[in-house]
Amino acid sequence: MSSDTDFSALKTRQQASWASGDYAVIGTTLQLVGELLAEACDIRHGETVLDVAAGNGNATLAAARRGGRVTSTDYVPALLERGQERARAEHLQVEFQAADAENLPFPDASFDLVLSTFGVMFTPDQEKAAAELARVCRPGGRIGLANWTPEGFIGQVFKTLGRHLPPPPGVRPPSLWGTESHLRALFGDSAAEIVTTPRLFNFRYQSAEHFLEVFRTWYGPIHKAFAALPAESAQALENDLTELIEHLNRAGPDSLILPSEYLEVVITRA
């Protein structure tokens, strides 16, 4: 990360991006990831759990269903409201609080378990975010993450977006969080053990056109990318994404199933 990068301005733009559209439309389809992560972290009934950059609460709900005493946080209040609606519908006791993943408003060693599914990986200051996850997790506790990999479908989507709308100089790809070597560099001595498991999530849509319609309407980064481009450039982006989607589709010509690799991570806090 370049020392000249304006973290504050970048974070403001990111927040506006994730607040645009309605990520919950996409996020709800990813519930399986939260359930698998909760099992991988082997939650005990009554443990204190923090979900960071929780979105609409997939990992939050998974942890609460297993008896965790969960605090769900995000810097987009509208997404927390969607998580609250879901928790109320299931009669789950969850505390919701607006919070910045790079400046968590909790004392050191406050939680037995800290979670983030496809959330903290998008923070601009990666070292600071990792340090905050480690700081609020008690020694011997666990940090559970689900991060898209660089080689997987979503990692390739962001590479494609970057070719059409280059990121600010010095900003590193979020998908680095999907590599074990980068995680070891980020967490360093704060991690007693890091266990990683490659997994696949299958996006299921009717067609490439259907996928793009949903994502350009509701998924903040893609929604903002298309809105920022003039018509000719937006068409070029659409063509590149369609080509990627059709290349990876394993369902044949009459449907769409897109396997997208992510890294499931369980870190034991030193």
Side-chain angles (χ1 to χ4, degrees), residues 167-208:
V171 174
R172 291 168 297 176
S175 59
L176 285 175
W177 284 74
T179 63
E180 184 171 342
S181 59
H182 189 61
L183 291 170
R184 293 192 180 280
L186 283 177
F187 287 93
D189 293 340
S190 67
E193 182 182 36
I194 299 179
V195 177
T196 61
T197 305
R199 291 194 182 274
L200 290 177
F201 176 82
N202 290 302
F203 289 97
R204 298 174 186 271
Y205 289 86
Q206 183 177 345
S207 62

Side-chain angles (χ1 to χ4, degrees), residues 29-118:
T29 69
L30 298 166
Q31 181 63 51
L32 177 64
V33 175
E35 296 291 335
L36 291 172
L37 183 62
E39 284 297 300
C41 291
D42 204 19
I43 296 175
R44 271 69 165 172
H45 198 284
E47 285 193 309
T48 53
V49 182
L50 177 67
D51 191 1
V52 177
N56 64 315
N58 287 337
T60 292
L61 298 177
R65 290 179 187 124
R66 289 159 177 79
R69 293 186 288 131
V70 185
T71 301
S72 185
T73 66
D74 201 283
Y75 69 173
V76 179
L79 289 175
L80 292 178
E81 291 172 7
R82 299 298 291 272
Q84 286 178 306
E85 292 170 0
R86 298 173 77 193
R88 282 196 298 269
E90 295 195 34
H91 304 285
L92 296 171
Q93 296 298 315
V94 176
E95 183 175 326
F96 292 87
Q97 182 173 342
D100 179 353
E102 295 177 4
N103 187 24
L104 295 170
F106 306 106
D108 295 356
S110 297
F111 297 93
D112 299 306
L113 175 62
V114 180
L115 301 173
S116 188
T117 56
F118 312 129

